[in-house]
Amino acid sequence: MDKKEIKNFSLSQLIDICGLRPEDLYHEGCLIASKVNMADEIDLNMFRYPMRMNAYAIAFCSKGSISITSNLNHYTLTEQMLYINLPGTFLQIESMDNAEVYLIICEEEFIRRINVDLKLLSRLFLRVERHPALKLDNEDWHSVMRSFDEISYEGEFHNDDVYSTEVIRTALRMIIYKVCRIIAHHVSATPTEIVPSPRNRNEEYFHRFMRILSQNYHIERSVGFYSRQLNLTPKYFTTIIRKTSGRTAVSWIDDFVILEAKNLLKYSSMSIQEISYYLNFPNQSFFGKYFKSHTGMTPTAYRSTK
């Protein structure tokens, strides 16, 4: 890998690099692309090593297969499967075979603008993080494809229509809610992994914590910092996070830090000392003890594993 740090891309940067096809629709911070031939129409060099995309993305595999690594976990997408990328997720495409996908990539602000209920999304956050790839049944698949067809029709034949913007927004909201329903069905089918159903205010605190954590975990690991960002006492903050997610705030913070450390050790050319400073540890020794306590391995040993 030539670069020391793992690349982060915004949606606009991805568009600048990959470009837009004539049939693609870019709408106010959201990209909708149908029947993308991965081998012929996507520059895959940028996905050779893990990267992070600071946007929500949903990929529907309609043909062939794609093998990916998402936050160090391996998945193979085959026909009628979807993959959901949350902002900040480490993503790498390992291989593919005659793959064709439908894509929606949108910024968080776009989701707010079209009035999608973020509380509903936050309820499903844990499920998506643990299981970002799901198989759709025929009914759900054809329902989603109908929404894509409607968006494509609007973009092709009514792009100058004064009502087209609202029609497209409505169709996008429909797809997002359809995906939420698909995830919820999978949750109900696996009761051992049901996400707790806390009160709406607690859900909002948890969602804000996740957003703040994703932006600050490499420089802040203290519960006190995150409780102050939410204007809560540390005790009340830790209680809310545990009730909402079933996990402590400390475990969430540690997970983010360890995942970043693992990716930097595996895929960057940064030295262990550089990584320790990047993650705001006082020295390499402190970082090594922290890493080993959470993984059972020293940073050097982990870097040497295949």
Side-chain angles (χ1 to χ4, degrees):
M1 187 172 181
D2 296 331
K3 300 295 184 181
K4 282 197 168 185
E5 296 181 12
I6 294 171
K7 285 288 188 180
N8 293 271
F9 294 96
S10 66
L11 175 55
S12 60
Q13 288 172 325
L14 285 172
I15 292 174
D16 288 342
I17 294 170
C18 298
L20 290 175
R21 305 174 306 164
E23 61 269 35
D24 291 340
L25 179 61
Y26 179 74
H27 180 74
E28 299 181 331
C30 180
L31 171 66
I32 307 102
S34 299
K35 296 183 179 180
V36 179
N37 186 309
M38 295 292 290
D40 296 336
E41 298 177 320
I42 297 291
D43 180 5
L44 295 175
N45 287 327
M46 64 184 296
F47 295 102
R48 285 184 59 209
Y49 297 98
M51 50 81 76
R52 283 182 294 206
M53 182 163 52
N54 298 317
Y56 290 93
I58 310 174
F60 300 88
C61 182
S62 59
K63 182 181 178 183
S65 64
I66 310 172
S67 293
I68 64 172
T69 297
S70 176
N71 281 348
L72 297 180
N73 294 311
H74 299 279
Y75 304 95
T76 298
L77 306 182
T78 56
E79 292 183 18
Q80 290 192 197
M81 287 187 70
L82 68 79
Y83 165 76
I84 301 171
N85 182 90
L86 298 173
T89 297
F90 290 97
L91 176 64
Q92 178 186 15
I93 296 179
E94 298 175 336
S95 63
M96 57 187 179
D97 180 19
N98 196 28
E100 181 180 274
V101 299
Y102 290 70
L103 293 171
I104 297 176
I105 306 175
C106 56
E107 300 163 351
E108 182 171 331
E109 184 55 33
F110 173 81
I111 293 178
R112 295 182 185 276
R113 281 201 302 270
I114 65 173
N115 297 320
V116 169
D117 187 349
L118 287 174
K119 292 186 178 65
L120 283 177
L121 298 187
S122 65
R123 290 177 190 173
L124 301 171
F125 183 96
L126 298 179
R127 174 68 195 194
V128 170
E129 185 192 48
R130 295 170 184 168
H131 301 280
L134 297 173
K135 180 73 172 181
L136 278 64
D137 61 27
N138 288 335
E139 181 180 350
D140 286 335
W141 178 261
H142 292 303
S143 177
V144 169
M145 290 300 105
R146 286 195 298 270
S147 294
F148 267 99
D149 289 342
E150 185 170 340
I151 292 171
S152 296
Y153 180 83
E154 283 297 320
E156 183 175 359
F157 296 105
H158 296 289
N159 53 8
D160 294 327
D161 191 306
V162 294
Y163 301 103
S164 184
T165 295
E166 291 304 321
V167 171
I168 291 173
R169 284 185 174 187
T170 300
L172 283 168
R173 290 178 75 248
M174 186 173 294
I175 289 181
I176 291 170
Y177 282 128
K178 284 178 179 179
V179 170
C180 288
R181 184 171 60 191
I182 290 166
I183 297 169
H185 285 171
H186 279 266
V187 170
S188 63
T190 53
T192 58
E193 297 187 22
I194 291 180
V195 177
S197 180
R199 300 189 180 193
N200 287 344
R201 187 169 180 81
N202 288 357
E203 292 171 357
E204 178 61 24
Y205 278 131
F206 175 70
H207 182 74
R208 288 170 58 193
F209 169 53
M210 288 290 100
R211 185 167 63 248
I212 296 168
L213 178 59
S214 68
Q215 297 167 349
N216 294 278
Y217 65 89
H218 62 290
I219 55 175
E220 286 288 350
R221 295 186 299 279
S222 71
V223 168
F225 169 81
Y226 294 101
S227 64
R228 287 193 297 273
Q229 300 305 303
L230 298 176
N231 296 315
L232 300 173
T233 65
K235 183 177 180 180
Y236 186 47
F237 167 70
T238 55
T239 299
I240 286 175
I241 299 306
R242 182 185 284 277
K243 284 184 176 180
T244 305
S245 68
R247 299 175 60 193
T248 65
V250 170
S251 69
W252 280 110
I253 296 168
D254 288 341
D255 275 4
F256 272 68
V257 175
I258 291 299
L259 177 61
E260 177 84 351
K262 284 181 174 180
N263 276 283
L264 291 173
L265 287 166
K266 278 293 185 184
Y267 301 112
S268 82
S269 59
M270 296 171 73
S271 69
I272 293 175
Q273 180 172 303
E274 287 174 321
I275 293 172
S276 67
Y277 290 152
Y278 175 76
L279 294 175
N280 203 26
F281 287 89
N283 52 58
Q284 182 175 332
S285 175
F286 194 95
F287 168 65
K289 291 177 182 177
Y290 176 90
F291 188 86
K292 186 173 182 179
S293 71
H294 287 87
T295 67
M297 303 175 70
T298 65
T300 300
Y302 182 81
R303 171 164 268 176
S304 65
T305 60
K306 298 297 183 182

